[in-house]
Amino acid sequence: MSRTASEAEATARHGPVEIRHLVPVLGAVLLLYFVVPVAVLVVTYSPMALADLTAGYVVDAAVTSLVAALVSTALAFVFGLPLAYWLSRSDHVLATVALGVVVLPLVLPPVVSGMLLLTVIGPGGLGGLTDLRLTRSLVGVVAAQTFVAAPFFVVTVKAAFDGVDSHFEEAARSLGRSWPETMRSVTVPLAKPGIVAGLVLTFARAMGEFGATMMLAYYPRTLPVQIWASFIANGLDAALPVAVVLLSVAIGTLLVVHAMRATPWR
């Protein structure tokens, strides 16, 4: 009886310790799963791909991706910031419905998002009512990226506004400041880390967008679409230079965020 009690006590004492030691091992396995493919690409394939980095198709895809992603991020900021603030401050049922609409593109497969945009835009212009062609154009790329990436900005910034105490805004208004002045001097500065996080996530998602962009605007090709086209046409070696550029942009984005001291995940 005494021995059983001692064994139970030892198990209770050492069991959590063993589990505690197992936790970092499990985490390290997942971390290696993230690191190894990137390391293999950089160490093994990057030297082979460097010679083709200045190829016309690589440069064109990089320029298209950067321009479209910057425009998509700017649109998300201009239209998403007021939407995020309203969603944060409103308790009306319409706000709940609107939040569901915002989240919908996050759970839709990107290819389905592209199909939905095609049903509205169509190959012959905006619903066939105008001569403005959104498919197979830079405008179509921006439209696809904005549809898929902008929800990241709205959801992230809404969470940032949720963390801003409304009493600070009320105090500023009681001192005679208008609503725009209160937003500029109180609300936005307090929510700045979340806003920067939303911009980074939106830009990164727009740069990596593939499915909706391929469906809506195959041309001009973005980096992800060019990776797919090069791989289908000429195999993995032809897609490597484009992948290296996209990886470089992703790493550069992380470095810029760290330099701004506005790391989204902290």
Side-chain angles (χ1 to χ4, degrees), residues 19-70:
I19 295 175
R20 184 186 64 188
H21 290 165
L22 184 61
V23 168
V25 174
L26 295 176
V29 171
L30 184 59
L31 185 62
L32 286 174
Y33 184 68
F34 295 151
V35 171
V36 169
V38 177
V40 170
L41 175 63
V42 172
V43 174
T44 305
Y45 294 106
S46 291
M48 300 168 52
L50 289 178
D52 295 327
L53 288 180
T54 58
Y57 72 98
V58 178
V59 175
D60 291 343
V63 171
T64 300
S65 289
L66 285 172
V67 172
L70 288 172

mmCIF file of all heavy atoms in Angstrom, residues 19-70:
data_model
loop_
_atom_site.group_PDB
_atom_site.id
_atom_site.type_symbol
_atom_site.label_atom_id
_atom_site.label_comp_id
_atom_site.label_asym_id
_atom_site.label_seq_id
_atom_site.Cartn_x
_atom_site.Cartn_y
_atom_site.Cartn_z
ATOM 1 N N ILE A 19 6.369 15.696 -19.484
ATOM 2 C CA ILE A 19 5.534 16.371 -20.474
ATOM 3 C C ILE A 19 6.100 17.738 -20.796
ATOM 4 O O ILE A 19 6.137 18.156 -21.957
ATOM 5 C CB ILE A 19 4.086 16.484 -19.951
ATOM 6 C CG1 ILE A 19 3.470 15.087 -19.802
ATOM 7 C CG2 ILE A 19 3.245 17.339 -20.887
ATOM 8 C CD1 ILE A 19 2.092 15.090 -19.195
ATOM 9 N N ARG A 20 6.602 18.422 -19.775
ATOM 10 C CA ARG A 20 7.181 19.745 -19.984
ATOM 11 C C ARG A 20 8.396 19.662 -20.897
ATOM 12 O O ARG A 20 8.632 20.524 -21.729
ATOM 13 C CB ARG A 20 7.571 20.356 -18.643
ATOM 14 C CG ARG A 20 8.107 21.785 -18.744
ATOM 15 C CD ARG A 20 8.609 22.243 -17.405
ATOM 16 N NE ARG A 20 9.747 21.431 -16.967
ATOM 17 C CZ ARG A 20 10.281 21.516 -15.755
ATOM 18 N NH1 ARG A 20 9.743 22.332 -14.846
ATOM 19 N NH2 ARG A 20 11.317 20.771 -15.432
ATOM 20 N N HIS A 21 9.173 18.583 -20.756
ATOM 21 C CA HIS A 21 10.330 18.397 -21.619
ATOM 22 C C HIS A 21 9.923 17.988 -23.035
ATOM 23 O O HIS A 21 10.667 18.233 -23.992
ATOM 24 C CB HIS A 21 11.257 17.332 -21.037
ATOM 25 C CG HIS A 21 11.951 17.798 -19.790
ATOM 26 N ND1 HIS A 21 12.590 16.918 -18.925
ATOM 27 C CD2 HIS A 21 12.098 19.033 -19.246
ATOM 28 C CE1 HIS A 21 13.112 17.605 -17.910
ATOM 29 N NE2 HIS A 21 12.813 18.880 -18.086
ATOM 30 N N LEU A 22 8.761 17.367 -23.167
ATOM 31 C CA LEU A 22 8.298 16.930 -24.478
ATOM 32 C C LEU A 22 7.760 18.088 -25.309
ATOM 33 O O LEU A 22 7.849 18.061 -26.541
ATOM 34 C CB LEU A 22 7.213 15.859 -24.303
ATOM 35 C CG LEU A 22 6.660 15.214 -25.584
ATOM 36 C CD1 LEU A 22 7.774 14.496 -26.334
ATOM 37 C CD2 LEU A 22 5.523 14.268 -25.241
ATOM 38 N N VAL A 23 7.228 19.109 -24.652
ATOM 39 C CA VAL A 23 6.604 20.234 -25.351
ATOM 40 C C VAL A 23 7.577 20.919 -26.315
ATOM 41 O O VAL A 23 7.251 21.110 -27.500
ATOM 42 C CB VAL A 23 6.007 21.232 -24.344
ATOM 43 C CG1 VAL A 23 5.624 22.532 -25.044
ATOM 44 C CG2 VAL A 23 4.780 20.630 -23.668
ATOM 45 N N PRO A 24 8.776 21.333 -25.872
ATOM 46 C CA PRO A 24 9.684 21.976 -26.835
ATOM 47 C C PRO A 24 10.123 21.056 -27.957
ATOM 48 O O PRO A 24 10.406 21.519 -29.070
ATOM 49 C CB PRO A 24 10.874 22.412 -25.970
ATOM 50 C CG PRO A 24 10.798 21.566 -24.748
ATOM 51 C CD PRO A 24 9.358 21.299 -24.516
ATOM 52 N N VAL A 25 10.176 19.742 -27.701
ATOM 53 C CA VAL A 25 10.549 18.797 -28.761
ATOM 54 C C VAL A 25 9.488 18.798 -29.850
ATOM 55 O O VAL A 25 9.806 18.849 -31.051
ATOM 56 C CB VAL A 25 10.746 17.383 -28.183
ATOM 57 C CG1 VAL A 25 10.993 16.380 -29.305
ATOM 58 C CG2 VAL A 25 11.894 17.371 -27.186
ATOM 59 N N LEU A 26 8.229 18.747 -29.447
ATOM 60 C CA LEU A 26 7.145 18.782 -30.427
ATOM 61 C C LEU A 26 7.145 20.090 -31.195
ATOM 62 O O LEU A 26 6.944 20.122 -32.415
ATOM 63 C CB LEU A 26 5.801 18.582 -29.713
ATOM 64 C CG LEU A 26 5.592 17.220 -29.043
ATOM 65 C CD1 LEU A 26 4.270 17.199 -28.293
ATOM 66 C CD2 LEU A 26 5.650 16.097 -30.065
ATOM 67 N N GLY A 27 7.373 21.188 -30.470
ATOM 68 C CA GLY A 27 7.447 22.488 -31.138
ATOM 69 C C GLY A 27 8.613 22.560 -32.105
ATOM 70 O O GLY A 27 8.499 23.148 -33.194
ATOM 71 N N ALA A 28 9.745 21.959 -31.736
ATOM 72 C CA ALA A 28 10.924 21.970 -32.604
ATOM 73 C C ALA A 28 10.664 21.200 -33.889
ATOM 74 O O ALA A 28 11.169 21.565 -34.958
ATOM 75 C CB ALA A 28 12.116 21.390 -31.856
ATOM 76 N N VAL A 29 9.873 20.131 -33.817
ATOM 77 C CA VAL A 29 9.553 19.360 -35.023
ATOM 78 C C VAL A 29 8.801 20.221 -36.024
ATOM 79 O O VAL A 29 9.123 20.249 -37.222
ATOM 80 C CB VAL A 29 8.731 18.110 -34.653
ATOM 81 C CG1 VAL A 29 8.213 17.415 -35.916
ATOM 82 C CG2 VAL A 29 9.564 17.139 -33.823
ATOM 83 N N LEU A 30 7.805 20.957 -35.545
ATOM 84 C CA LEU A 30 7.040 21.832 -36.436
ATOM 85 C C LEU A 30 7.919 22.963 -36.956
ATOM 86 O O LEU A 30 7.823 23.352 -38.132
ATOM 87 C CB LEU A 30 5.823 22.399 -35.700
ATOM 88 C CG LEU A 30 4.870 23.256 -36.536
ATOM 89 C CD1 LEU A 30 4.321 22.449 -37.706
ATOM 90 C CD2 LEU A 30 3.728 23.795 -35.677
ATOM 91 N N LEU A 31 8.783 23.503 -36.093
ATOM 92 C CA LEU A 31 9.686 24.572 -36.518
ATOM 93 C C LEU A 31 10.622 24.093 -37.625
ATOM 94 O O LEU A 31 10.853 24.809 -38.617
ATOM 95 C CB LEU A 31 10.486 25.076 -35.321
ATOM 96 C CG LEU A 31 11.402 26.287 -35.573
ATOM 97 C CD1 LEU A 31 10.576 27.491 -35.987
ATOM 98 C CD2 LEU A 31 12.210 26.603 -34.324
ATOM 99 N N LEU A 32 11.160 22.882 -37.479
ATOM 100 C CA LEU A 32 12.013 22.324 -38.518
ATOM 101 C C LEU A 32 11.245 22.119 -39.817
ATOM 102 O O LEU A 32 11.796 22.300 -40.915
ATOM 103 C CB LEU A 32 12.612 20.995 -38.053
ATOM 104 C CG LEU A 32 13.731 21.078 -37.018
ATOM 105 C CD1 LEU A 32 14.126 19.678 -36.551
ATOM 106 C CD2 LEU A 32 14.934 21.807 -37.586
ATOM 107 N N TYR A 33 9.984 21.744 -39.700
ATOM 108 C CA TYR A 33 9.151 21.561 -40.892
ATOM 109 C C TYR A 33 9.004 22.878 -41.655
ATOM 110 O O TYR A 33 8.871 22.884 -42.888
ATOM 111 C CB TYR A 33 7.787 21.023 -40.482
ATOM 112 C CG TYR A 33 6.877 20.695 -41.638
ATOM 113 C CD1 TYR A 33 7.179 19.635 -42.496
ATOM 114 C CD2 TYR A 33 5.729 21.435 -41.880
ATOM 115 C CE1 TYR A 33 6.360 19.325 -43.565
ATOM 116 C CE2 TYR A 33 4.900 21.137 -42.944
ATOM 117 C CZ TYR A 33 5.217 20.082 -43.785
ATOM 118 O OH TYR A 33 4.401 19.781 -44.847
ATOM 119 N N PHE A 34 9.011 24.013 -40.929
ATOM 120 C CA PHE A 34 8.948 25.320 -41.572
ATOM 121 C C PHE A 34 10.300 25.723 -42.153
ATOM 122 O O PHE A 34 10.369 26.328 -43.234
ATOM 123 C CB PHE A 34 8.506 26.395 -40.566
ATOM 124 C CG PHE A 34 7.108 26.203 -40.048
ATOM 125 C CD1 PHE A 34 6.753 26.656 -38.784
ATOM 126 C CD2 PHE A 34 6.140 25.581 -40.812
ATOM 127 C CE1 PHE A 34 5.477 26.495 -38.299
ATOM 128 C CE2 PHE A 34 4.844 25.396 -40.336
ATOM 129 C CZ PHE A 34 4.519 25.862 -39.069
ATOM 130 N N VAL A 35 11.381 25.399 -41.438
ATOM 131 C CA VAL A 35 12.700 25.918 -41.786
ATOM 132 C C VAL A 35 13.364 25.114 -42.892
ATOM 133 O O VAL A 35 13.972 25.693 -43.809
ATOM 134 C CB VAL A 35 13.605 25.954 -40.535
ATOM 135 C CG1 VAL A 35 15.052 26.283 -40.929
ATOM 136 C CG2 VAL A 35 13.070 26.957 -39.529
ATOM 137 N N VAL A 36 13.256 23.800 -42.837
ATOM 138 C CA VAL A 36 14.010 22.946 -43.756
ATOM 139 C C VAL A 36 13.701 23.244 -45.225
ATOM 140 O O VAL A 36 14.636 23.390 -46.038
ATOM 141 C CB VAL A 36 13.773 21.460 -43.426
ATOM 142 C CG1 VAL A 36 14.332 20.563 -44.532
ATOM 143 C CG2 VAL A 36 14.424 21.112 -42.089
ATOM 144 N N PRO A 37 12.434 23.326 -45.662
ATOM 145 C CA PRO A 37 12.199 23.615 -47.090
ATOM 146 C C PRO A 37 12.810 24.937 -47.537
ATOM 147 O O PRO A 37 13.362 25.024 -48.643
ATOM 148 C CB PRO A 37 10.662 23.645 -47.189
ATOM 149 C CG PRO A 37 10.194 22.833 -46.040
ATOM 150 C CD PRO A 37 11.158 23.096 -44.941
ATOM 151 N N VAL A 38 12.721 25.974 -46.695
ATOM 152 C CA VAL A 38 13.312 27.259 -47.050
ATOM 153 C C VAL A 38 14.829 27.150 -47.132
ATOM 154 O O VAL A 38 15.465 27.670 -48.060
ATOM 155 C CB VAL A 38 12.907 28.345 -46.020
ATOM 156 C CG1 VAL A 38 13.582 29.668 -46.347
ATOM 157 C CG2 VAL A 38 11.397 28.515 -45.990
ATOM 158 N N ALA A 39 15.418 26.444 -46.176
ATOM 159 C CA ALA A 39 16.871 26.281 -46.175
ATOM 160 C C ALA A 39 17.342 25.509 -47.403
ATOM 161 O O ALA A 39 18.360 25.850 -48.019
ATOM 162 C CB ALA A 39 17.314 25.570 -44.895
ATOM 163 N N VAL A 40 16.612 24.470 -47.774
ATOM 164 C CA VAL A 40 16.979 23.684 -48.954
ATOM 165 C C VAL A 40 16.915 24.540 -50.209
ATOM 166 O O VAL A 40 17.804 24.486 -51.081
ATOM 167 C CB VAL A 40 16.061 22.459 -49.091
ATOM 168 C CG1 VAL A 40 16.276 21.770 -50.438
ATOM 169 C CG2 VAL A 40 16.324 21.477 -47.961
ATOM 170 N N LEU A 41 15.860 25.374 -50.315
ATOM 171 C CA LEU A 41 15.731 26.250 -51.478
ATOM 172 C C LEU A 41 16.883 27.241 -51.546
ATOM 173 O O LEU A 41 17.480 27.453 -52.600
ATOM 174 C CB LEU A 41 14.394 26.995 -51.423
ATOM 175 C CG LEU A 41 14.173 28.042 -52.533
ATOM 176 C CD1 LEU A 41 14.158 27.362 -53.891
ATOM 177 C CD2 LEU A 41 12.880 28.803 -52.292
ATOM 178 N N VAL A 42 17.218 27.842 -50.402
ATOM 179 C CA VAL A 42 18.268 28.857 -50.378
ATOM 180 C C VAL A 42 19.639 28.249 -50.634
ATOM 181 O O VAL A 42 20.429 28.763 -51.438
ATOM 182 C CB VAL A 42 18.246 29.608 -49.026
ATOM 183 C CG1 VAL A 42 19.455 30.531 -48.911
ATOM 184 C CG2 VAL A 42 16.950 30.395 -48.877
ATOM 185 N N VAL A 43 19.939 27.141 -49.969
ATOM 186 C CA VAL A 43 21.291 26.565 -50.040
ATOM 187 C C VAL A 43 21.512 25.780 -51.334
ATOM 188 O O VAL A 43 22.562 25.897 -51.970
ATOM 189 C CB VAL A 43 21.545 25.657 -48.821
ATOM 190 C CG1 VAL A 43 22.893 24.948 -48.962
ATOM 191 C CG2 VAL A 43 21.490 26.466 -47.545
ATOM 192 N N THR A 44 20.514 25.006 -51.729
ATOM 193 C CA THR A 44 20.704 24.085 -52.847
ATOM 194 C C THR A 44 20.372 24.707 -54.192
ATOM 195 O O THR A 44 21.130 24.558 -55.166
ATOM 196 C CB THR A 44 19.841 22.826 -52.651
ATOM 197 O OG1 THR A 44 20.145 22.256 -51.374
ATOM 198 C CG2 THR A 44 20.104 21.814 -53.759
ATOM 199 N N TYR A 45 19.247 25.418 -54.248
ATOM 200 C CA TYR A 45 18.750 25.853 -55.545
ATOM 201 C C TYR A 45 19.015 27.315 -55.866
ATOM 202 O O TYR A 45 19.003 27.698 -57.036
ATOM 203 C CB TYR A 45 17.239 25.594 -55.647
ATOM 204 C CG TYR A 45 16.881 24.129 -55.638
ATOM 205 C CD1 TYR A 45 16.320 23.536 -54.515
ATOM 206 C CD2 TYR A 45 17.114 23.350 -56.756
ATOM 207 C CE1 TYR A 45 15.990 22.184 -54.505
ATOM 208 C CE2 TYR A 45 16.783 21.998 -56.765
ATOM 209 C CZ TYR A 45 16.222 21.428 -55.636
ATOM 210 O OH TYR A 45 15.904 20.090 -55.639
ATOM 211 N N SER A 46 19.212 28.158 -54.862
ATOM 212 C CA SER A 46 19.385 29.583 -55.129
ATOM 213 C C SER A 46 20.544 29.872 -56.073
ATOM 214 O O SER A 46 20.399 30.676 -56.993
ATOM 215 C CB SER A 46 19.565 30.355 -53.815
ATOM 216 O OG SER A 46 18.360 30.346 -53.081
ATOM 217 N N PRO A 47 21.737 29.271 -55.893
ATOM 218 C CA PRO A 47 22.817 29.555 -56.845
ATOM 219 C C PRO A 47 22.452 29.218 -58.288
ATOM 220 O O PRO A 47 22.866 29.912 -59.224
ATOM 221 C CB PRO A 47 23.953 28.661 -56.340
ATOM 222 C CG PRO A 47 23.671 28.466 -54.894
ATOM 223 C CD PRO A 47 22.178 28.401 -54.792
ATOM 224 N N MET A 48 21.662 28.153 -58.478
ATOM 225 C CA MET A 48 21.247 27.780 -59.824
ATOM 226 C C MET A 48 20.283 28.803 -60.407
ATOM 227 O O MET A 48 20.254 29.039 -61.610
ATOM 228 C CB MET A 48 20.582 26.398 -59.801
ATOM 229 C CG MET A 48 21.483 25.278 -59.297
ATOM 230 S SD MET A 48 20.519 23.766 -58.964
ATOM 231 C CE MET A 48 19.651 23.590 -60.519
ATOM 232 N N ALA A 49 19.482 29.418 -59.531
ATOM 233 C CA ALA A 49 18.441 30.318 -60.004
ATOM 234 C C ALA A 49 18.928 31.743 -60.192
ATOM 235 O O ALA A 49 18.278 32.537 -60.872
ATOM 236 C CB ALA A 49 17.271 30.310 -59.021
ATOM 237 N N LEU A 50 20.083 32.090 -59.606
ATOM 238 C CA LEU A 50 20.552 33.472 -59.647
ATOM 239 C C LEU A 50 20.787 33.953 -61.073
ATOM 240 O O LEU A 50 20.574 35.130 -61.384
ATOM 241 C CB LEU A 50 21.849 33.608 -58.834
ATOM 242 C CG LEU A 50 21.701 33.493 -57.318
ATOM 243 C CD1 LEU A 50 23.062 33.594 -56.638
ATOM 244 C CD2 LEU A 50 20.756 34.553 -56.782
ATOM 245 N N ALA A 51 21.205 33.048 -61.935
ATOM 246 C CA ALA A 51 21.502 33.447 -63.313
ATOM 247 C C ALA A 51 20.260 33.902 -64.061
ATOM 248 O O ALA A 51 20.359 34.681 -65.018
ATOM 249 C CB ALA A 51 22.165 32.286 -64.052
ATOM 250 N N ASP A 52 19.106 33.423 -63.647
ATOM 251 C CA ASP A 52 17.857 33.757 -64.353
ATOM 252 C C ASP A 52 17.030 34.816 -63.639
ATOM 253 O O ASP A 52 15.897 35.092 -64.046
ATOM 254 C CB ASP A 52 17.001 32.488 -64.526
ATOM 255 C CG ASP A 52 17.669 31.464 -65.417
ATOM 256 O OD1 ASP A 52 18.383 31.875 -66.352
ATOM 257 O OD2 ASP A 52 17.485 30.259 -65.181
ATOM 258 N N LEU A 53 17.566 35.417 -62.580
ATOM 259 C CA LEU A 53 16.781 36.391 -61.828
ATOM 260 C C LEU A 53 16.453 37.628 -62.641
ATOM 261 O O LEU A 53 15.445 38.300 -62.390
ATOM 262 C CB LEU A 53 17.526 36.798 -60.549
ATOM 263 C CG LEU A 53 17.590 35.749 -59.438
ATOM 264 C CD1 LEU A 53 18.342 36.296 -58.238
ATOM 265 C CD2 LEU A 53 16.187 35.311 -59.027
ATOM 266 N N THR A 54 17.293 37.954 -63.607
ATOM 267 C CA THR A 54 17.058 39.148 -64.429
ATOM 268 C C THR A 54 16.316 38.833 -65.719
ATOM 269 O O THR A 54 16.182 39.704 -66.580
ATOM 270 C CB THR A 54 18.391 39.832 -64.754
ATOM 271 O OG1 THR A 54 19.250 38.892 -65.428
ATOM 272 C CG2 THR A 54 19.076 40.314 -63.486
ATOM 273 N N ALA A 55 15.841 37.608 -65.852
ATOM 274 C CA ALA A 55 15.072 37.253 -67.045
ATOM 275 C C ALA A 55 13.803 38.102 -67.121
ATOM 276 O O ALA A 55 13.230 38.497 -66.106
ATOM 277 C CB ALA A 55 14.723 35.765 -67.027
ATOM 278 N N GLY A 56 13.378 38.364 -68.333
ATOM 279 C CA GLY A 56 12.243 39.260 -68.514
ATOM 280 C C GLY A 56 10.988 38.800 -67.812
ATOM 281 O O GLY A 56 10.279 39.602 -67.181
ATOM 282 N N TYR A 57 10.699 37.495 -67.880
ATOM 283 C CA TYR A 57 9.467 37.004 -67.275
ATOM 284 C C TYR A 57 9.508 37.102 -65.756
ATOM 285 O O TYR A 57 8.476 37.291 -65.105
ATOM 286 C CB TYR A 57 9.176 35.571 -67.729
ATOM 287 C CG TYR A 57 10.097 34.515 -67.147
ATOM 288 C CD1 TYR A 57 9.705 33.766 -66.046
ATOM 289 C CD2 TYR A 57 11.338 34.252 -67.714
ATOM 290 C CE1 TYR A 57 10.528 32.788 -65.513
ATOM 291 C CE2 TYR A 57 12.169 33.286 -67.194
ATOM 292 C CZ TYR A 57 11.765 32.549 -66.091
ATOM 293 O OH TYR A 57 12.584 31.587 -65.561
ATOM 294 N N VAL A 58 10.719 36.999 -65.161
ATOM 295 C CA VAL A 58 10.847 37.131 -63.717
ATOM 296 C C VAL A 58 10.646 38.579 -63.289
ATOM 297 O O VAL A 58 9.914 38.874 -62.341
ATOM 298 C CB VAL A 58 12.223 36.616 -63.243
ATOM 299 C CG1 VAL A 58 12.365 36.790 -61.741
ATOM 300 C CG2 VAL A 58 12.393 35.154 -63.625
ATOM 301 N N VAL A 59 11.300 39.492 -63.992
ATOM 302 C CA VAL A 59 11.180 40.920 -63.667
ATOM 303 C C VAL A 59 9.745 41.402 -63.852
ATOM 304 O O VAL A 59 9.203 42.127 -63.007
ATOM 305 C CB VAL A 59 12.144 41.747 -64.536
ATOM 306 C CG1 VAL A 59 11.938 43.245 -64.286
ATOM 307 C CG2 VAL A 59 13.586 41.357 -64.257
ATOM 308 N N ASP A 60 9.123 41.008 -64.941
ATOM 309 C CA ASP A 60 7.743 41.431 -65.195
ATOM 310 C C ASP A 60 6.796 40.932 -64.103
ATOM 311 O O ASP A 60 5.925 41.668 -63.635
ATOM 312 C CB ASP A 60 7.275 40.916 -66.560
ATOM 313 C CG ASP A 60 7.986 41.610 -67.717
ATOM 314 O OD1 ASP A 60 8.585 42.675 -67.481
ATOM 315 O OD2 ASP A 60 7.951 41.064 -68.842
ATOM 316 N N ALA A 61 6.965 39.681 -63.706
ATOM 317 C CA ALA A 61 6.105 39.124 -62.659
ATOM 318 C C ALA A 61 6.342 39.829 -61.331
ATOM 319 O O ALA A 61 5.391 40.093 -60.583
ATOM 320 C CB ALA A 61 6.350 37.626 -62.518
ATOM 321 N N ALA A 62 7.606 40.146 -61.030
ATOM 322 C CA ALA A 62 7.912 40.834 -59.774
ATOM 323 C C ALA A 62 7.312 42.230 -59.754
ATOM 324 O O ALA A 62 6.720 42.654 -58.746
ATOM 325 C CB ALA A 62 9.428 40.908 -59.576
ATOM 326 N N VAL A 63 7.431 42.951 -60.847
ATOM 327 C CA VAL A 63 6.864 44.311 -60.912
ATOM 328 C C VAL A 63 5.352 44.261 -60.796
ATOM 329 O O VAL A 63 4.738 45.054 -60.068
ATOM 330 C CB VAL A 63 7.287 44.992 -62.227
ATOM 331 C CG1 VAL A 63 6.541 46.316 -62.411
ATOM 332 C CG2 VAL A 63 8.792 45.238 -62.237
ATOM 333 N N THR A 64 4.728 43.339 -61.502
ATOM 334 C CA THR A 64 3.268 43.212 -61.432
ATOM 335 C C THR A 64 2.808 42.909 -60.014
ATOM 336 O O THR A 64 1.858 43.517 -59.510
ATOM 337 C CB THR A 64 2.783 42.107 -62.385
ATOM 338 O OG1 THR A 64 3.154 42.430 -63.727
ATOM 339 C CG2 THR A 64 1.273 41.947 -62.300
ATOM 340 N N SER A 65 3.483 41.978 -59.351
ATOM 341 C CA SER A 65 3.100 41.608 -57.988
ATOM 342 C C SER A 65 3.264 42.778 -57.026
ATOM 343 O O SER A 65 2.375 43.051 -56.209
ATOM 344 C CB SER A 65 3.923 40.414 -57.504
ATOM 345 O OG SER A 65 3.546 39.234 -58.172
ATOM 346 N N LEU A 66 4.391 43.466 -57.097
ATOM 347 C CA LEU A 66 4.645 44.572 -56.175
ATOM 348 C C LEU A 66 3.655 45.707 -56.378
ATOM 349 O O LEU A 66 3.080 46.226 -55.413
ATOM 350 C CB LEU A 66 6.079 45.082 -56.358
ATOM 351 C CG LEU A 66 7.189 44.215 -55.778
ATOM 352 C CD1 LEU A 66 8.557 44.731 -56.203
ATOM 353 C CD2 LEU A 66 7.089 44.176 -54.254
ATOM 354 N N VAL A 67 3.442 46.097 -57.630
ATOM 355 C CA VAL A 67 2.511 47.201 -57.908
ATOM 356 C C VAL A 67 1.099 46.835 -57.473
ATOM 357 O O VAL A 67 0.416 47.613 -56.785
ATOM 358 C CB VAL A 67 2.546 47.563 -59.407
ATOM 359 C CG1 VAL A 67 1.437 48.565 -59.734
ATOM 360 C CG2 VAL A 67 3.899 48.155 -59.774
ATOM 361 N N ALA A 68 0.648 45.649 -57.870
ATOM 362 C CA ALA A 68 -0.712 45.236 -57.531
ATOM 363 C C ALA A 68 -0.892 45.083 -56.029
ATOM 364 O O ALA A 68 -1.928 45.484 -55.472
ATOM 365 C CB ALA A 68 -1.058 43.930 -58.240
ATOM 366 N N ALA A 69 0.105 44.505 -55.338
ATOM 367 C CA ALA A 69 -0.006 44.310 -53.898
ATOM 368 C C ALA A 69 -0.028 45.637 -53.155
ATOM 369 O O ALA A 69 -0.772 45.810 -52.183
ATOM 370 C CB ALA A 69 1.134 43.437 -53.390
ATOM 371 N N LEU A 70 0.780 46.594 -53.592
ATOM 372 C CA LEU A 70 0.781 47.918 -52.956
ATOM 373 C C LEU A 70 -0.552 48.628 -53.161
ATOM 374 O O LEU A 70 -1.092 49.239 -52.232
ATOM 375 C CB LEU A 70 1.930 48.766 -53.519
ATOM 376 C CG LEU A 70 3.339 48.362 -53.080
ATOM 377 C CD1 LEU A 70 4.382 49.158 -53.850
ATOM 378 C CD2 LEU A 70 3.514 48.563 -51.576
#
